[in-house]
Amino acid sequence: MKTKILTDEQIETGTKIINDFSITVATVNGSGSQTSNAAILRAIFKMGIPVSGKNIFPSNIQGLPTWYTIRVNKHGFVARKREADLLISMNPATFTQDLASLKPGGAFFYADDIRLPITREDIVTYPMPVKQLIRQVDIPAYLKDYVANMVYVGILAQMIGIDLDKIRQALEFHFKGKAKPVEINFGVVSLAAQWAKENLEKKDPYFLEPMNATAGLILTDGNTAAALGAIYGGVQFVSWYPITPATSLAESLQTYLPKLRKDPETGKNTYVVVQAEDELAAIGMAIGAGWGGLRAMSSTSGPGLSLMTEYLGLGYFAEVPVVVWDIQRVGPSTGLPTRTSQGDLTFVAFMGHGDTQNIILMPGSVNECFEFAWKAFDLAEQYQTPVIVLSDLDFGMNQWMGKPFEYPDRPMQRGKVLWEEDLERLNGKWARYLDVDGDGVPYRTVIGNRHPKAAYFTRGTGHDEYANYSEAPEDWHALLNRLKKKFETLKPSLPQPIVEEMPNAQINLVSFGSTEPAIREARALLHDEGIASDFTRIRSYPFTDTVKEICSQYERNYIIEMNRDGQLHQLLRMHFPELAPKMISYAYTDGLPLTAKQIYDFILLKEKQDE
């Protein structure tokens, strides 16, 4: 059955789809399309319309296909959609594939020098004379291939109603106000928009109209948010090794630290950033800095975290504070470096041989990437242990809307640190690994303490309360059980689950991290089918009894996550086995963010089976 293309009369009489569609741009990696796509995204955001952008790119430098998707939704649903309503095809290698993927009734914009057949009659086609228009622009030849993508920006803007002034503002933001690149790129946009106005007839139903839904919001990525949060959390030492998709976190630190962390009197930096020779060196440096009393961190992804495991075990056992950001990608092994996943959860929960535990923070928005970045340092120092923050590529490298970041609402929590006056008061009598307060957390000293009794010997082997080497069974037993007590003590300090409720809900959707946008939309779709649902987002591990209390209220808890084996589902059943019959796993991974439709289809089928 063919989809009827709109006539001018139908468009005029209101058969329009306004502020509710998905745009996909198909180009090649390294072609300069990132600037063009960012300009479209930010311009729509500046029009007050809820929007998100996702870059699906290959793990090479240039030449292979890449797709950038922009979700526009007046209701604020910004999760990925599988289907494209509008598609811009600039890559001959994927032209046929892209054409086939377009939704019936959609709009297909394509570079007219791509001489491949268009066989579909259920879509609108718009040829774009990219090469012809770019020849009219008086710029150096070496720039023309890069600014050619601005042709589709201008044509799309004209055809769906993107405000050209907002495009210009987006370019000024991207080029940091540099007049020449702004003028060159905007000149191409204006030329292309004028050509479209004179030569293309609107036949598709997709339109943008200004809203006020983004007022007071910002647009950023999770890695930038994490970097800023770490800076405002007092980070002093960063050691890292490049790895996709974590590299931009360290690069953001290097961008903002020089602006925000200089001593106003001396003009000297109050931080150190070291690009190490590998992940082993990076985590070793960070552990050393944390041992010395600095707020220290590293950032990596799954393969790098595998290499860091032994050092992090040392951090747990020797009780050294350090923060590591794991921006998850698809594994195992090298896996898919430029695709997203939530596949490191169980690995991090048990990371380290022997009886090891780790604090895990799981941000669910760019705002929580900022918040958890500074809170991670507090937790690491209060409980003298590594803290791993689990983000992922979708959060880390893609653009999300959020509220302006809020400065930390409390002083830094340094934990149990003894200084000279403390040791003097104790007459120098203290023990590094002695549980004085019954909470499992001992006192420590750090470099800079000049008291003659401040020193102790740090070791990764067996030790007693005074940090003396020991193989005595009673010392080993006491040490491991004190560490376990510490992890019971710290649970109330961790970010607690967030619960969103609907009236008459009988089921609960449980998740962590970046699946929240898809789940929010899926809940709305289910509600339209008469299925009310509550939503619980877990934000930390080890779990607290609050998680158990929430899940026990429902006959069915759907555990939704982006991995193959249902890792959150595994951990929940392990900790709360009595609730296992109430837990249903929906675990799916293909390297792409989950869609609302995937979640909706699964739960709708299960619910109908249970009727």
Side-chain angles (χ1 to χ4, degrees):
M1 180 177 177
K2 294 181 180 178
T3 298
K4 188 175 181 181
I5 307 305
L6 294 186
T7 65
D8 291 336
E9 182 180 357
Q10 287 172 313
I11 292 175
E12 290 299 321
T13 55
T15 310
K16 296 181 179 181
I17 298 174
I18 300 170
N19 297 348
D20 187 11
F21 50 85
S22 181
I23 306 166
T24 295
V25 182
T27 56
V28 295
N29 206 30
S31 65
S33 60
Q34 182 178 358
T35 304
S36 304
N37 300 331
I40 295 170
L41 181 79
R42 192 164 289 277
I44 296 172
F45 175 77
K46 286 179 175 291
M47 290 176 66
I49 306 168
V51 67
S52 68
K54 299 185 187 300
N55 192 20
I56 302 170
F57 60 104
S59 56
N60 74 334
I61 295 176
Q62 63 182 17
L64 290 182
T66 181
W67 294 268
Y68 191 85
T69 65
I70 297 173
R71 175 78 187 276
V72 177
N73 184 269
K74 58 192 173 186
H75 303 296
F77 296 132
V78 292
R80 182 179 73 92
K81 279 182 64 177
R82 188 180 294 275
E83 313 87 4
D85 299 296
L86 297 92
L87 200 146
I88 299 168
S89 181
M90 299 287 287
N91 184 6
T94 63
F95 184 89
T96 302
Q97 171 189 344
D98 296 331
L99 180 64
S101 71
L102 184 62
K103 189 177 179 179
F108 189 69
F109 297 80
Y110 66 98
D112 66 2
D113 57 289
I114 300 177
R115 307 294 184 181
L116 292 171
I118 299 177
T119 56
R120 293 184 62 176
E121 298 181 11
D122 61 344
I123 61 172
V124 181
T125 58
Y126 297 119
M128 302 183 298
V130 176
K131 290 186 176 180
Q132 176 187 333
L133 289 174
I134 206 66
R135 280 196 292 267
Q136 300 176 30
V137 181
D138 184 20
I139 58 174
Y142 72 91
L143 287 177
K144 290 193 174 184
D145 286 343
Y146 290 98
V147 300
N149 289 311
M150 288 294 163
V151 171
Y152 70 70
V153 176
I155 291 174
L156 181 70
Q158 174 61 33
M159 298 305 288
I160 67 173
I162 303 176
D163 187 335
L164 289 186
D165 286 341
K166 304 302 184 187
I167 294 280
R168 186 183 188 95
Q169 292 172 26
L171 291 171
E172 288 172 347
F173 177 88
H174 182 82
F175 290 110
K176 298 178 173 59
K178 296 177 183 176
K180 188 171 182 179
V182 171
E183 292 304 323
I184 289 173
N185 283 273
F186 188 70
V188 175
V189 171
S190 301
L191 175 67
Q194 185 62 34
W195 178 89
K197 183 178 181 179
E198 296 172 357
N199 294 277
L200 295 179
E201 182 182 0
K202 179 76 170 177
K203 292 292 185 181
D204 67 84
Y206 301 106
F207 292 83
L208 293 179
E209 292 183 359
M211 296 177 62
N212 194 36
T214 64
L217 300 181
I218 61 172
L219 195 64
T220 191
D221 62 87
N223 283 354
T224 298
L228 288 168
I231 293 169
Y232 283 91
V235 66
Q236 295 166 297
F237 184 90
V238 182
S239 49
W240 67 291
Y241 183 76
I243 185 171
T244 302
T247 295
S248 62
L249 198 164
E251 290 175 339
S252 292
L253 283 164
Q254 290 175 303
T255 297
Y256 290 106
L257 277 167
K259 301 175 183 178
L260 299 171
R261 292 291 295 280
K262 285 184 181 291
D263 186 291
E265 295 182 2
T266 66
K268 292 183 178 181
N269 295 333
T270 59
Y271 64 89
V272 174
V273 179
V274 180
Q275 181 177 328
E277 61 267 35
D278 54 33
E279 287 89 352
L280 286 167
I283 191 60
M285 294 175 187
I287 292 283
W291 171 83
L294 300 182
R295 293 203 145 187
M297 66 171 286
S298 186
S299 60
T300 190
S301 193
L305 200 64
S306 297
L307 294 172
M308 294 180 176
T309 299
E310 185 176 0
Y311 260 123
L312 288 168
L314 171 65
Y316 167 79
F317 190 60
E319 299 179 74
V320 178
V322 69
V323 173
V324 177
W325 279 77
D326 175 16
I327 315 300
Q328 297 168 96
R329 68 190 209 187
V330 177
S333 188
T334 306
L336 299 176
T338 58
R339 297 290 187 269
T340 197
S341 171
Q342 293 179 320
D344 293 350
L345 179 59
T346 51
F347 168 53
V348 176
F350 303 111
M351 185 168 55
H353 61 278
D355 295 312
T356 308
Q357 292 175 276
N358 295 295
I359 295 176
I360 306 175
L361 303 185
M362 310 171 197
S365 65
V366 289
N367 289 91
E368 285 188 348
C369 286
F370 177 88
E371 176 190 347
F372 288 8
W374 64 262
K375 284 186 174 178
F377 288 120
D378 282 356
L379 289 167
E381 291 207 290
Q382 282 181 284
Y383 299 105
Q384 302 172 30
T385 194
V387 174
I388 316 299
V389 189
L390 281 188
S391 182
D392 60 34
L393 183 146
D394 190 22
F395 263 163
M397 297 189 70
N398 289 325
Q399 294 290 312
W400 297 87
M401 298 184 300
K403 296 178 181 179
F405 302 140
E406 297 182 359
Y407 195 86
D409 58 1
R410 67 191 188 207
M412 294 181 191
Q413 308 295 304
R414 302 305 305 268
K416 297 181 177 181
V417 180
L418 297 174
W419 291 102
E420 288 89 344
E421 58 271 24
D422 302 310
L423 293 175
E424 196 63 34
R425 189 171 59 253
L426 294 169
N427 295 318
K429 296 178 180 179
W430 74 290
R432 171 65 183 95
Y433 296 113
L434 177 64
D435 182 7
V436 176
D437 304 315
D439 58 5
V441 185
Y443 283 83
R444 64 180 175 130
T445 58
V446 296
I447 292 175
N449 189 323
R450 296 172 181 267
H451 195 282
K453 296 292 186 179
Y456 65 92
F457 196 92
T458 304
R459 61 178 83 244
T461 50
H463 48 269
D464 65 13
E465 294 172 337
Y466 291 86
N468 298 314
Y469 178 74
S470 174
E471 295 184 7
E474 58 273 17
D475 287 338
W476 187 260
H477 179 77
L479 171 56
L480 288 185
N481 280 283
R482 180 181 60 76
L483 290 171
K484 186 174 182 178
K485 180 193 289 186
K486 179 167 73 172
F487 271 75
E488 290 300 316
T489 298
L490 62 81
K491 285 182 181 181
S493 301
L494 300 178
Q496 300 300 302
I498 289 180
V499 180
E500 297 180 7
E501 298 178 322
M502 283 185 180
N504 305 313
Q506 300 296 313
I507 63 173
N508 184 31
L509 279 56
V510 183
S511 77
F512 72 101
S514 65
T515 54
E516 177 173 335
I519 292 173
R520 285 182 180 276
E521 187 175 359
R523 292 177 70 216
L525 295 173
L526 290 166
H527 187 265
D528 291 343
E529 294 289 336
I531 300 173
S533 63
D534 289 347
F535 172 41
T536 301
R537 180 164 59 81
I538 295 174
R539 303 194 297 160
S540 62
Y541 181 85
F543 304 133
T544 64
D545 287 339
T546 303
V547 176
K548 178 181 176 181
E549 292 166 5
I550 294 168
C551 292
S552 64
Q553 300 174 38
Y554 305 89
E555 287 303 312
R556 291 180 298 282
N557 295 274
Y558 290 95
I559 317 302
I560 300 164
E561 50 194 314
M562 291 190 299
N563 53 62
R564 184 193 68 183
D565 296 333
Q567 297 180 18
L568 178 61
H569 185 238
Q570 291 176 24
L571 290 176
L572 286 168
R573 289 191 304 165
M574 182 186 77
H575 286 280
F576 312 121
E578 66 275 23
L579 297 182
K582 295 174 174 281
M583 294 183 177
I584 302 168
S585 175
Y586 178 62
Y588 184 87
T589 182
D590 60 5
L592 300 176
L594 282 179
T595 68
K597 187 68 163 50
Q598 288 172 302
I599 299 167
Y600 163 82
D601 286 344
F602 177 83
I603 294 176
L604 186 64
L605 177 62
K606 287 287 187 182
E607 288 298 299
K608 286 187 174 181
Q609 288 174 347
D610 289 336
E611 287 181 355

